[in-house]
Amino acid sequence: MIQPVIAIHGGAGAMSRAAMSPEKEQEYLQALRSIVQAGQAVLAQGGSALDAVTEAVRLLEDCPLFNAGHGAVFTSAGTHELDASIMDGATLRSGAIANVNCVRNPVLAARKVMENSKHVFFVGDGAVDLARGEGLDIVDPSYFSTEARREQLLRVQRENPEAAVLDHDGQALVARGQPAPADPLDADKKFGTVGAVAVDAQGNVAAATSTGGITNKQVGRVGDAPLIGAGCYANNRTCAVSTTGTGEMFIRMVAAYDVSALMEYQGASLEAAASRVVHEKLPTIEGKGGLIAVDGQGNVTLPFNTEGMYRGYGRVGEDAVVAIYR
């Protein structure tokens, strides 16, 4: 029997320690810890890896600290476009949705696509119709808005109306005498995807990824989060992966699947495969970010090539481990 384990992430990017008060740091760490513990509880009760990652990502979507679901960033038009994906390593079944603005928990809709449709990927109105037909919570688009995210959009548009902002070194802002960002990951410009991976007692792995996109993005843009193989992948023969970073680069590298391919075809360990993708391959096209991954033996790795990544993991029967910085 495998010792079940779950890992989560809440986005990667350039950190600003100067912006981090002890109170803010504890707020983030406690949110990460409570969500890891919720995933551990699912696994401890005999739940599947699929159930554990679904619950963890649902909770991340409901937490306004992270850019997914409630607290999602705004597009250039002042709207929200949410994306999510999920994959079952035991069967290779997968489901994804993109560009929805009223489905409270996109990860639940992605799972309904996987389980109750003959397709893999729904977008826009079709995805909303499926979610509504499955009885999922449909909310007014204003549900996803927070004042902090609205201020973020306005600030970015004032600085550079054409920019779809991904990442920025918060320390550089402080060095230039500009106000430090309120978010330790500089919420204006961090990579705001959330995700979870898990392995259960039967050795089955699963992955799920969800995002609100990037601040001031062009309407209709889709990143790696809902793309199977780029932002999410799971296969019992190898591993489960969820990514966060410069979405376009992760798509071009098919980053999540590449970790699996290195394990399957080269015999690389989980840690070696993930490290090669994050630290060697992605940087060749200026890809920034990180990923979380588990394999069927219960190994875990959480590499990133930015200054930090909101992250945590927990094995059943052990304390949760959470971190923000390197």
Side-chain angles (χ1 to χ4, degrees):
M1 295 287 284
I2 303 299
Q3 183 181 13
V5 61
I6 185 165
I8 68 171
H9 71 77
M15 300 289 182
S16 173
R17 285 184 181 271
M20 176 71 90
S21 68
E23 295 78 15
K24 194 70 172 177
E25 181 174 8
Q26 285 306 309
E27 186 178 3
Y28 277 93
L29 291 173
Q30 184 52 45
L32 291 167
R33 183 174 291 106
S34 66
I35 293 169
V36 170
Q37 290 170 341
Q40 287 176 296
V42 171
L43 295 170
Q45 294 162 12
S48 67
L50 197 61
D51 287 340
V53 299
T54 301
E55 177 64 5
V57 172
R58 183 189 70 81
L59 292 170
L60 285 161
E61 289 174 342
D62 283 348
C63 181
L65 294 175
F66 304 106
N67 173 26
H70 181 56
V73 299
F74 287 85
T75 70
S76 59
T79 57
H80 299 287
E81 293 182 341
L82 311 176
D83 312 326
S85 60
I86 193 166
M87 189 165 182
D88 178 6
T91 63
L92 301 187
R93 293 185 304 162
S94 55
I97 65 164
N99 287 358
V100 300
N101 67 355
C102 61
V103 179
R104 173 172 172 163
N105 292 109
V107 71
L108 299 184
R111 183 159 177 180
K112 292 296 186 182
V113 171
M114 180 186 74
E115 293 181 332
N116 296 343
S117 82
K118 61 182 178 181
H119 306 299
V120 170
F121 201 169
F122 283 77
V123 301
D125 291 343
V128 172
D129 289 344
L130 183 141
R132 183 179 286 112
E134 291 288 343
L136 298 182
D137 285 348
I138 304 299
V139 297
D140 187 89
S142 63
Y143 164 81
F144 303 108
S145 305
T146 63
E147 281 307 307
R149 297 299 192 199
R150 192 178 299 278
E151 282 300 314
Q152 182 179 318
L153 173 67
L154 295 175
R155 189 160 56 246
V156 169
Q157 290 181 334
R158 283 196 301 267
E159 293 174 3
N160 185 353
E162 301 303 316
V165 182
L166 288 174
D167 179 58
H168 193 79
D169 184 350
Q171 295 285 16
L173 283 176
V174 177
R176 294 200 301 269
Q178 298 182 31
D183 186 315
L185 253 179
D186 191 352
D188 288 359
K189 303 172 181 183
K190 72 175 182 178
F191 308 124
T193 305
V194 306
V197 295
V199 59
D200 58 32
Q202 286 69 46
N204 296 317
V205 300
T209 308
S210 182
T211 189
I214 55 177
T215 299
N216 202 39
K217 73 162 188 164
Q218 187 171 344
V219 172
R221 177 263 186 188
V222 176
D224 64 313
L227 299 183
I228 301 302
C232 177
Y233 190 74
N235 186 334
N236 276 9
R237 291 168 57 90
T238 53
C239 62
V241 181
S242 176
T243 73
T244 172
T246 43
E248 283 72 10
M249 308 311 176
F250 279 67
I251 292 170
R252 288 163 58 186
M253 279 288 180
V254 200
Y257 175 72
D258 200 25
V259 177
S260 172
L262 287 167
M263 294 177 68
E264 184 166 9
Y265 302 132
Q266 285 196 349
S269 67
L270 177 74
E271 184 173 2
S275 179
R276 184 175 176 191
V277 170
V278 170
H279 296 298
E280 297 179 26
K281 301 186 77 171
L282 280 164
T284 64
I285 56 170
E286 300 183 352
K288 296 181 180 180
L291 61 83
I292 56 174
V294 300
D295 64 19
Q297 288 70 52
N299 296 305
V300 181
T301 188
L302 304 90
F304 52 96
N305 61 28
T306 51
E307 291 182 44
M309 179 171 72
Y310 293 119
R311 63 199 187 276
Y313 70 92
R315 302 182 188 280
V316 168
E318 298 181 10
D319 291 339
V321 177
V322 296
I324 300 174
Y325 304 104
R326 286 191 179 280

